[in-house]
Amino acid sequence: LTLTSAVVATPTGTSALTECGLIPALLNTVSTDAEEAVSKMVGSQVLSPLEILRIRSLLRFITAQAVQILEGAIVTHSNALSAFHNLNGVAVLTTRLSKEVLFVRNNRIRSEASGQGCVPMEIDDAPDDGVDMETESPSSMDSRPRASQRVLLFGVVTCLTVVFHQESTSSSVTAPSGSAELRKAELTDALSEILENVGVYGGHLASLISTLMSDVMNSDPHIVHYVHESGLAKSFLKMLDSGPSGDPSPPPVPELIMSIPSVLAALSLTEAGSKEIKKANPFPSLLKLFYHPKYAMPKSRCLLNEMTSIVGTGLDEIMRNVPSLRQPVCKAIAEAMLEVVSFGSSLVSREENMNSEVRGAIATEIDNDRSCLMQYALNFGQILEQILHSEDHCEPFVQAGGLDAILKLYPYLMPTGEAFLAHISCLSCPSVSTISHSTTEDALSLAFKCIALRYDPLKLLQKITGCAKQHLNLLESLQLEMRASFPSQHFNSEDSLDAVFILHGLPRQPLYDTTD
């Protein structure tokens, strides 16, 4: 099979092997029942359960490699695709996918009933947490598919996605549509099982299914009604729900997070579908991914590389195509940003109350929370950059409290205490420098400028004036308190907001000797 993969990689090799009967041979391999094959191989021999599991695992790896070769052949050569459809290749792949998912589900049910996990195999161990990069609960780690099952499921779903994507360019009249195949209960049940147990099957497989669903629904919007009626849409929305602990359920996999808005947009293609999405309102659960430590560094790197901008573009597309969802999306974003404001307020309070001599786990936790706060603000700044370029989106966003959230969030992004002194001590010219993180500041400032260009100027000035008065009152009280703590004859007693010589009364000593 390795040699065949190398030959299929070239168009001439694919053509030659197709004429020699490659496609029927591969489909025969994929359709082979694993249990019957094991029985024939074992015969009258008495083998241990571990040896039988080993044989079954090797058969799955062989089948997975055959599926990969099949995918390469139908992409490279049109005659291979025609032969694939003439031999009902989609039905063969669907049946194999259903059998594997059923096998995993039965094992999981038995494991949960007995309270014991699957026995790990030497050749078939699932990767540990340091390699898998998918945070899973201990219960799902005990019952999740083995490596051979993961490879086979991944290969089959990928091949089905490729076949459904190429159906529009196929000239074969026997090519079945993706919507027709998705209507079959066998495929629907398998996809629902994977989506409802994403912690067991993994985020990468769920991302492939999300791509398959969005491609099929976008090519044939009539299937959207069936997706909602069959419960497949409900299974997808269930994946976004928070678990019992309140933590988001989707694994921190970039491909999965990136595919969620496209599926939500496809589920809203029809009027009835948009009503179901509005009723379910999955947007707060989706946006929670962008202000949860599970998806932020140092725990995960899944939101790097403009990932939030991609999600913001998807949300913008949803609001443009489905005006009825504009208000729920804007409200979810504003409420999420207010949650970040609450987190920032709590963090600043802990930083102010922390003794300068505190070290160890507490100081590290506060430093990590400060890093998370900067990432949360940057995430929403990039999302707003994609959304607020449209005038239709600014009004509902401000009405939902989005502008207030931006104005409240900005002060918490600035360092305080020793962090502030350490920051300004490194600046050559503090009067023209910024004390907030430059990237985060730029993102929020751009969002504010978009609102200023498209929102009512009078209402905008009223909000800015109110916020400015609040901060000026705070500044006045702090300067009076500072003057009382460090008296100086240079102070202007007639103006409480006069900052001239405000630092004159500070003791002249190194920063590391300064205490609270």
Side-chain angles (χ1 to χ4, degrees), residues 391-433:
E391 184 176 358
D392 296 333
H393 302 164
C394 289
E395 183 74 23
F397 176 72
V398 176
Q399 290 179 352
L403 179 58
D404 296 331
I406 294 177
L407 296 176
K408 292 178 181 179
L409 177 60
Y410 199 90
Y412 296 127
L413 303 178
M414 301 180 184
T416 59
E418 287 188 347
F420 169 73
L421 295 177
H423 188 90
I424 64 172
S425 66
C426 300
L427 299 177
S428 59
C429 187
S431 61
V432 296
S433 301

mmCIF file of all heavy atoms in Angstrom, residues 391-433:
data_model
loop_
_atom_site.group_PDB
_atom_site.id
_atom_site.type_symbol
_atom_site.label_atom_id
_atom_site.label_comp_id
_atom_site.label_asym_id
_atom_site.label_seq_id
_atom_site.Cartn_x
_atom_site.Cartn_y
_atom_site.Cartn_z
ATOM 1 N N GLU A 391 -22.074 49.774 8.909
ATOM 2 C CA GLU A 391 -22.875 50.752 9.655
ATOM 3 C C GLU A 391 -24.075 50.102 10.328
ATOM 4 O O GLU A 391 -24.512 50.539 11.403
ATOM 5 C CB GLU A 391 -23.328 51.854 8.697
ATOM 6 C CG GLU A 391 -24.084 52.987 9.364
ATOM 7 C CD GLU A 391 -24.436 54.096 8.391
ATOM 8 O OE1 GLU A 391 -24.044 53.979 7.202
ATOM 9 O OE2 GLU A 391 -25.095 55.061 8.809
ATOM 10 N N ASP A 392 -24.603 49.043 9.743
ATOM 11 C CA ASP A 392 -25.773 48.376 10.309
ATOM 12 C C ASP A 392 -25.473 47.674 11.621
ATOM 13 O O ASP A 392 -26.391 47.358 12.387
ATOM 14 C CB ASP A 392 -26.334 47.363 9.301
ATOM 15 C CG ASP A 392 -26.849 48.029 8.038
ATOM 16 O OD1 ASP A 392 -27.251 49.202 8.126
ATOM 17 O OD2 ASP A 392 -26.823 47.380 6.966
ATOM 18 N N HIS A 393 -24.191 47.385 11.875
ATOM 19 C CA HIS A 393 -23.830 46.647 13.078
ATOM 20 C C HIS A 393 -23.497 47.560 14.250
ATOM 21 O O HIS A 393 -23.512 47.102 15.401
ATOM 22 C CB HIS A 393 -22.639 45.722 12.797
ATOM 23 C CG HIS A 393 -22.891 44.743 11.703
ATOM 24 N ND1 HIS A 393 -21.876 44.043 11.061
ATOM 25 C CD2 HIS A 393 -24.048 44.329 11.102
ATOM 26 C CE1 HIS A 393 -22.396 43.267 10.132
ATOM 27 N NE2 HIS A 393 -23.711 43.430 10.137
ATOM 28 N N CYS A 394 -23.163 48.803 13.994
ATOM 29 C CA CYS A 394 -22.717 49.699 15.066
ATOM 30 C C CYS A 394 -23.854 50.035 16.026
ATOM 31 O O CYS A 394 -23.673 50.006 17.250
ATOM 32 C CB CYS A 394 -22.137 50.977 14.475
ATOM 33 S SG CYS A 394 -20.547 50.752 13.659
ATOM 34 N N GLU A 395 -25.021 50.372 15.472
ATOM 35 C CA GLU A 395 -26.145 50.780 16.316
ATOM 36 C C GLU A 395 -26.545 49.687 17.307
ATOM 37 O O GLU A 395 -26.621 49.950 18.526
ATOM 38 C CB GLU A 395 -27.325 51.184 15.443
ATOM 39 C CG GLU A 395 -28.533 51.687 16.216
ATOM 40 C CD GLU A 395 -28.313 53.083 16.776
ATOM 41 O OE1 GLU A 395 -27.463 53.810 16.240
ATOM 42 O OE2 GLU A 395 -28.996 53.436 17.759
ATOM 43 N N PRO A 396 -26.812 48.440 16.857
ATOM 44 C CA PRO A 396 -27.187 47.404 17.844
ATOM 45 C C PRO A 396 -26.061 47.073 18.813
ATOM 46 O O PRO A 396 -26.322 46.716 19.965
ATOM 47 C CB PRO A 396 -27.554 46.201 16.969
ATOM 48 C CG PRO A 396 -26.921 46.455 15.651
ATOM 49 C CD PRO A 396 -26.899 47.931 15.478
ATOM 50 N N PHE A 397 -24.808 47.215 18.379
ATOM 51 C CA PHE A 397 -23.688 46.932 19.279
ATOM 52 C C PHE A 397 -23.634 47.963 20.407
ATOM 53 O O PHE A 397 -23.456 47.610 21.582
ATOM 54 C CB PHE A 397 -22.370 46.938 18.495
ATOM 55 C CG PHE A 397 -21.151 46.738 19.357
ATOM 56 C CD1 PHE A 397 -20.871 45.504 19.909
ATOM 57 C CD2 PHE A 397 -20.301 47.799 19.616
ATOM 58 C CE1 PHE A 397 -19.737 45.316 20.713
ATOM 59 C CE2 PHE A 397 -19.171 47.628 20.404
ATOM 60 C CZ PHE A 397 -18.900 46.386 20.953
ATOM 61 N N VAL A 398 -23.803 49.235 20.087
ATOM 62 C CA VAL A 398 -23.775 50.279 21.116
ATOM 63 C C VAL A 398 -24.994 50.154 22.026
ATOM 64 O O VAL A 398 -24.887 50.308 23.255
ATOM 65 C CB VAL A 398 -23.712 51.669 20.465
ATOM 66 C CG1 VAL A 398 -23.791 52.761 21.518
ATOM 67 C CG2 VAL A 398 -22.435 51.819 19.654
ATOM 68 N N GLN A 399 -26.153 49.863 21.444
ATOM 69 C CA GLN A 399 -27.359 49.715 22.253
ATOM 70 C C GLN A 399 -27.254 48.537 23.226
ATOM 71 O O GLN A 399 -27.846 48.583 24.316
ATOM 72 C CB GLN A 399 -28.580 49.533 21.346
ATOM 73 C CG GLN A 399 -28.966 50.779 20.564
ATOM 74 C CD GLN A 399 -30.161 50.540 19.663
ATOM 75 O OE1 GLN A 399 -30.629 49.412 19.506
ATOM 76 N NE2 GLN A 399 -30.671 51.622 19.066
ATOM 77 N N ALA A 400 -26.497 47.524 22.837
ATOM 78 C CA ALA A 400 -26.314 46.369 23.724
ATOM 79 C C ALA A 400 -25.285 46.622 24.818
ATOM 80 O O ALA A 400 -25.071 45.749 25.670
ATOM 81 C CB ALA A 400 -25.901 45.151 22.903
ATOM 82 N N GLY A 401 -24.647 47.800 24.813
ATOM 83 C CA GLY A 401 -23.655 48.123 25.834
ATOM 84 C C GLY A 401 -22.230 47.898 25.398
ATOM 85 O O GLY A 401 -21.325 47.878 26.243
ATOM 86 N N GLY A 402 -22.004 47.736 24.092
ATOM 87 C CA GLY A 402 -20.660 47.467 23.609
ATOM 88 C C GLY A 402 -19.707 48.636 23.797
ATOM 89 O O GLY A 402 -18.542 48.451 24.190
ATOM 90 N N LEU A 403 -20.174 49.863 23.525
ATOM 91 C CA LEU A 403 -19.304 51.034 23.690
ATOM 92 C C LEU A 403 -18.944 51.240 25.157
ATOM 93 O O LEU A 403 -17.789 51.555 25.489
ATOM 94 C CB LEU A 403 -20.000 52.270 23.125
ATOM 95 C CG LEU A 403 -19.225 53.589 23.250
ATOM 96 C CD1 LEU A 403 -17.868 53.488 22.554
ATOM 97 C CD2 LEU A 403 -20.039 54.745 22.670
ATOM 98 N N ASP A 404 -19.911 51.053 26.051
ATOM 99 C CA ASP A 404 -19.623 51.153 27.484
ATOM 100 C C ASP A 404 -18.594 50.117 27.904
ATOM 101 O O ASP A 404 -17.718 50.399 28.738
ATOM 102 C CB ASP A 404 -20.913 50.970 28.287
ATOM 103 C CG ASP A 404 -21.917 52.074 28.022
ATOM 104 O OD1 ASP A 404 -21.479 53.203 27.710
ATOM 105 O OD2 ASP A 404 -23.135 51.812 28.109
ATOM 106 N N ALA A 405 -18.686 48.916 27.328
ATOM 107 C CA ALA A 405 -17.724 47.866 27.674
ATOM 108 C C ALA A 405 -16.312 48.248 27.227
ATOM 109 O O ALA A 405 -15.340 48.007 27.952
ATOM 110 C CB ALA A 405 -18.149 46.543 27.036
ATOM 111 N N ILE A 406 -16.181 48.846 26.033
ATOM 112 C CA ILE A 406 -14.866 49.277 25.562
ATOM 113 C C ILE A 406 -14.278 50.341 26.485
ATOM 114 O O ILE A 406 -13.106 50.279 26.878
ATOM 115 C CB ILE A 406 -14.960 49.806 24.114
ATOM 116 C CG1 ILE A 406 -15.325 48.680 23.152
ATOM 117 C CG2 ILE A 406 -13.637 50.444 23.691
ATOM 118 C CD1 ILE A 406 -15.509 49.134 21.719
ATOM 119 N N LEU A 407 -15.093 51.322 26.862
ATOM 120 C CA LEU A 407 -14.610 52.407 27.724
ATOM 121 C C LEU A 407 -14.262 51.900 29.120
ATOM 122 O O LEU A 407 -13.329 52.406 29.760
ATOM 123 C CB LEU A 407 -15.675 53.501 27.818
ATOM 124 C CG LEU A 407 -16.000 54.229 26.505
ATOM 125 C CD1 LEU A 407 -17.134 55.224 26.713
ATOM 126 C CD2 LEU A 407 -14.768 54.934 25.949
ATOM 127 N N LYS A 408 -14.995 50.893 29.611
ATOM 128 C CA LYS A 408 -14.695 50.334 30.928
ATOM 129 C C LYS A 408 -13.487 49.407 30.892
ATOM 130 O O LYS A 408 -12.747 49.303 31.886
ATOM 131 C CB LYS A 408 -15.903 49.563 31.458
ATOM 132 C CG LYS A 408 -17.096 50.437 31.803
ATOM 133 C CD LYS A 408 -18.270 49.587 32.281
ATOM 134 C CE LYS A 408 -19.485 50.447 32.601
ATOM 135 N NZ LYS A 408 -20.636 49.632 33.035
ATOM 136 N N LEU A 409 -13.274 48.729 29.779
ATOM 137 C CA LEU A 409 -12.191 47.754 29.690
ATOM 138 C C LEU A 409 -10.826 48.417 29.581
ATOM 139 O O LEU A 409 -9.833 47.922 30.130
ATOM 140 C CB LEU A 409 -12.433 46.830 28.488
ATOM 141 C CG LEU A 409 -11.362 45.779 28.194
ATOM 142 C CD1 LEU A 409 -11.199 44.839 29.380
ATOM 143 C CD2 LEU A 409 -11.715 44.993 26.936
ATOM 144 N N TYR A 410 -10.774 49.536 28.881
ATOM 145 C CA TYR A 410 -9.472 50.152 28.572
ATOM 146 C C TYR A 410 -8.637 50.446 29.813
ATOM 147 O O TYR A 410 -7.424 50.160 29.837
ATOM 148 C CB TYR A 410 -9.698 51.430 27.758
ATOM 149 C CG TYR A 410 -8.472 51.885 27.023
ATOM 150 C CD1 TYR A 410 -8.205 51.453 25.728
ATOM 151 C CD2 TYR A 410 -7.559 52.743 27.625
ATOM 152 C CE1 TYR A 410 -7.080 51.872 25.054
ATOM 153 C CE2 TYR A 410 -6.425 53.162 26.962
ATOM 154 C CZ TYR A 410 -6.192 52.725 25.679
ATOM 155 O OH TYR A 410 -5.077 53.135 25.025
ATOM 156 N N PRO A 411 -9.196 51.026 30.916
ATOM 157 C CA PRO A 411 -8.345 51.324 32.085
ATOM 158 C C PRO A 411 -7.712 50.090 32.722
ATOM 159 O O PRO A 411 -6.621 50.184 33.284
ATOM 160 C CB PRO A 411 -9.318 52.012 33.062
ATOM 161 C CG PRO A 411 -10.409 52.539 32.209
ATOM 162 C CD PRO A 411 -10.557 51.572 31.092
ATOM 163 N N TYR A 412 -8.379 48.941 32.645
ATOM 164 C CA TYR A 412 -7.843 47.740 33.284
ATOM 165 C C TYR A 412 -6.678 47.135 32.504
ATOM 166 O O TYR A 412 -6.010 46.229 32.997
ATOM 167 C CB TYR A 412 -8.947 46.696 33.449
ATOM 168 C CG TYR A 412 -10.056 47.141 34.372
ATOM 169 C CD1 TYR A 412 -11.381 47.097 33.960
ATOM 170 C CD2 TYR A 412 -9.775 47.622 35.641
ATOM 171 C CE1 TYR A 412 -12.402 47.517 34.787
ATOM 172 C CE2 TYR A 412 -10.785 48.047 36.489
ATOM 173 C CZ TYR A 412 -12.098 47.997 36.061
ATOM 174 O OH TYR A 412 -13.103 48.418 36.883
ATOM 175 N N LEU A 413 -6.455 47.610 31.285
ATOM 176 C CA LEU A 413 -5.340 47.107 30.489
ATOM 177 C C LEU A 413 -4.031 47.805 30.839
ATOM 178 O O LEU A 413 -2.970 47.402 30.365
ATOM 179 C CB LEU A 413 -5.635 47.284 28.995
ATOM 180 C CG LEU A 413 -6.920 46.622 28.491
ATOM 181 C CD1 LEU A 413 -7.102 46.916 27.014
ATOM 182 C CD2 LEU A 413 -6.897 45.131 28.745
ATOM 183 N N MET A 414 -4.104 48.856 31.646
ATOM 184 C CA MET A 414 -2.906 49.602 32.010
ATOM 185 C C MET A 414 -2.281 49.008 33.267
ATOM 186 O O MET A 414 -2.985 48.616 34.201
ATOM 187 C CB MET A 414 -3.251 51.071 32.250
ATOM 188 C CG MET A 414 -3.866 51.745 31.041
ATOM 189 S SD MET A 414 -4.253 53.472 31.352
ATOM 190 C CE MET A 414 -5.049 53.911 29.801
ATOM 191 N N PRO A 415 -0.963 48.951 33.331
ATOM 192 C CA PRO A 415 -0.302 48.412 34.527
ATOM 193 C C PRO A 415 -0.468 49.350 35.716
ATOM 194 O O PRO A 415 -0.624 50.560 35.558
ATOM 195 C CB PRO A 415 1.162 48.303 34.097
ATOM 196 C CG PRO A 415 1.311 49.317 33.011
ATOM 197 C CD PRO A 415 -0.006 49.354 32.292
ATOM 198 N N THR A 416 -0.425 48.786 36.906
ATOM 199 C CA THR A 416 -0.548 49.563 38.133
ATOM 200 C C THR A 416 0.558 49.159 39.105
ATOM 201 O O THR A 416 1.226 48.140 38.918
ATOM 202 C CB THR A 416 -1.911 49.327 38.799
ATOM 203 O OG1 THR A 416 -2.053 47.926 39.091
ATOM 204 C CG2 THR A 416 -3.053 49.766 37.906
ATOM 205 N N GLY A 417 0.721 49.969 40.149
ATOM 206 C CA GLY A 417 1.683 49.633 41.194
ATOM 207 C C GLY A 417 3.104 49.530 40.689
ATOM 208 O O GLY A 417 3.585 50.343 39.888
ATOM 209 N N GLU A 418 3.795 48.494 41.151
ATOM 210 C CA GLU A 418 5.185 48.284 40.753
ATOM 211 C C GLU A 418 5.314 48.043 39.261
ATOM 212 O O GLU A 418 6.300 48.430 38.640
ATOM 213 C CB GLU A 418 5.779 47.103 41.529
ATOM 214 C CG GLU A 418 6.068 47.402 42.988
ATOM 215 C CD GLU A 418 6.828 46.273 43.642
ATOM 216 O OE1 GLU A 418 6.902 45.173 43.033
ATOM 217 O OE2 GLU A 418 7.339 46.463 44.747
ATOM 218 N N ALA A 419 4.309 47.381 38.679
ATOM 219 C CA ALA A 419 4.365 47.137 37.231
ATOM 220 C C ALA A 419 4.347 48.455 36.465
ATOM 221 O O ALA A 419 5.047 48.615 35.458
ATOM 222 C CB ALA A 419 3.193 46.260 36.810
ATOM 223 N N PHE A 420 3.566 49.418 36.960
ATOM 224 C CA PHE A 420 3.521 50.730 36.323
ATOM 225 C C PHE A 420 4.868 51.444 36.445
ATOM 226 O O PHE A 420 5.392 52.015 35.476
ATOM 227 C CB PHE A 420 2.414 51.564 36.959
ATOM 228 C CG PHE A 420 2.452 53.023 36.573
ATOM 229 C CD1 PHE A 420 2.085 53.433 35.309
ATOM 230 C CD2 PHE A 420 2.877 53.971 37.476
ATOM 231 C CE1 PHE A 420 2.123 54.764 34.948
ATOM 232 C CE2 PHE A 420 2.921 55.308 37.133
ATOM 233 C CZ PHE A 420 2.541 55.706 35.870
ATOM 234 N N LEU A 421 5.457 51.432 37.661
ATOM 235 C CA LEU A 421 6.748 52.094 37.858
ATOM 236 C C LEU A 421 7.843 51.435 37.028
ATOM 237 O O LEU A 421 8.690 52.106 36.448
ATOM 238 C CB LEU A 421 7.117 52.068 39.343
ATOM 239 C CG LEU A 421 6.202 52.874 40.271
ATOM 240 C CD1 LEU A 421 6.640 52.697 41.730
ATOM 241 C CD2 LEU A 421 6.192 54.344 39.900
ATOM 242 N N ALA A 422 7.819 50.099 36.958
ATOM 243 C CA ALA A 422 8.809 49.400 36.154
ATOM 244 C C ALA A 422 8.649 49.726 34.677
ATOM 245 O O ALA A 422 9.624 49.809 33.929
ATOM 246 C CB ALA A 422 8.691 47.890 36.374
ATOM 247 N N HIS A 423 7.391 49.948 34.269
ATOM 248 C CA HIS A 423 7.130 50.244 32.858
ATOM 249 C C HIS A 423 7.654 51.629 32.478
ATOM 250 O O HIS A 423 8.382 51.784 31.495
ATOM 251 C CB HIS A 423 5.625 50.149 32.591
ATOM 252 C CG HIS A 423 5.248 50.236 31.158
ATOM 253 N ND1 HIS A 423 5.138 49.126 30.340
ATOM 254 C CD2 HIS A 423 4.973 51.299 30.363
ATOM 255 C CE1 HIS A 423 4.807 49.504 29.113
ATOM 256 N NE2 HIS A 423 4.694 50.822 29.106
ATOM 257 N N ILE A 424 7.280 52.643 33.271
ATOM 258 C CA ILE A 424 7.669 54.005 32.894
ATOM 259 C C ILE A 424 9.151 54.261 33.128
ATOM 260 O O ILE A 424 9.732 55.157 32.517
ATOM 261 C CB ILE A 424 6.835 55.045 33.671
ATOM 262 C CG1 ILE A 424 7.111 54.952 35.172
ATOM 263 C CG2 ILE A 424 5.360 54.890 33.372
ATOM 264 C CD1 ILE A 424 6.467 56.067 35.968
ATOM 265 N N SER A 425 9.781 53.474 34.019
ATOM 266 C CA SER A 425 11.211 53.687 34.254
ATOM 267 C C SER A 425 12.050 53.284 33.056
ATOM 268 O O SER A 425 13.208 53.694 32.947
ATOM 269 C CB SER A 425 11.658 52.904 35.490
ATOM 270 O OG SER A 425 11.543 51.513 35.249
ATOM 271 N N CYS A 426 11.470 52.487 32.142
ATOM 272 C CA CYS A 426 12.205 52.037 30.957
ATOM 273 C C CYS A 426 11.925 52.909 29.739
ATOM 274 O O CYS A 426 12.481 52.653 28.662
ATOM 275 C CB CYS A 426 11.844 50.586 30.636
ATOM 276 S SG CYS A 426 12.232 49.422 31.950
ATOM 277 N N LEU A 427 11.063 53.926 29.884
ATOM 278 C CA LEU A 427 10.698 54.770 28.753
ATOM 279 C C LEU A 427 11.614 55.986 28.691
ATOM 280 O O LEU A 427 11.874 56.636 29.704
ATOM 281 C CB LEU A 427 9.244 55.228 28.876
ATOM 282 C CG LEU A 427 8.182 54.115 28.896
ATOM 283 C CD1 LEU A 427 6.799 54.724 29.093
ATOM 284 C CD2 LEU A 427 8.221 53.305 27.614
ATOM 285 N N SER A 428 12.089 56.297 27.506
ATOM 286 C CA SER A 428 12.960 57.450 27.338
ATOM 287 C C SER A 428 12.185 58.756 27.395
ATOM 288 O O SER A 428 12.712 59.788 27.810
ATOM 289 C CB SER A 428 13.712 57.349 26.004
ATOM 290 O OG SER A 428 12.784 57.278 24.929
ATOM 291 N N CYS A 429 10.915 58.724 26.984
ATOM 292 C CA CYS A 429 10.093 59.930 27.004
ATOM 293 C C CYS A 429 8.657 59.546 27.384
ATOM 294 O O CYS A 429 7.815 59.322 26.511
ATOM 295 C CB CYS A 429 10.117 60.622 25.652
ATOM 296 S SG CYS A 429 9.282 62.218 25.635
ATOM 297 N N PRO A 430 8.362 59.408 28.693
ATOM 298 C CA PRO A 430 7.033 58.939 29.122
ATOM 299 C C PRO A 430 5.891 59.826 28.648
ATOM 300 O O PRO A 430 4.768 59.354 28.482
ATOM 301 C CB PRO A 430 7.144 58.951 30.654
ATOM 302 C CG PRO A 430 8.609 58.906 30.941
ATOM 303 C CD PRO A 430 9.274 59.651 29.821
ATOM 304 N N SER A 431 6.140 61.120 28.410
ATOM 305 C CA SER A 431 5.050 62.030 28.074
ATOM 306 C C SER A 431 4.429 61.731 26.712
ATOM 307 O O SER A 431 3.277 62.083 26.468
ATOM 308 C CB SER A 431 5.547 63.478 28.102
ATOM 309 O OG SER A 431 6.578 63.659 27.134
ATOM 310 N N VAL A 432 5.171 61.084 25.801
ATOM 311 C CA VAL A 432 4.640 60.787 24.473
ATOM 312 C C VAL A 432 4.500 59.287 24.247
ATOM 313 O O VAL A 432 4.283 58.843 23.131
ATOM 314 C CB VAL A 432 5.550 61.390 23.373
ATOM 315 C CG1 VAL A 432 5.576 62.898 23.464
ATOM 316 C CG2 VAL A 432 6.977 60.826 23.465
ATOM 317 N N SER A 433 4.631 58.498 25.300
ATOM 318 C CA SER A 433 4.564 57.048 25.184
ATOM 319 C C SER A 433 3.223 56.540 25.706
ATOM 320 O O SER A 433 2.455 57.285 26.322
ATOM 321 C CB SER A 433 5.712 56.387 25.957
ATOM 322 O OG SER A 433 6.960 56.829 25.485
#
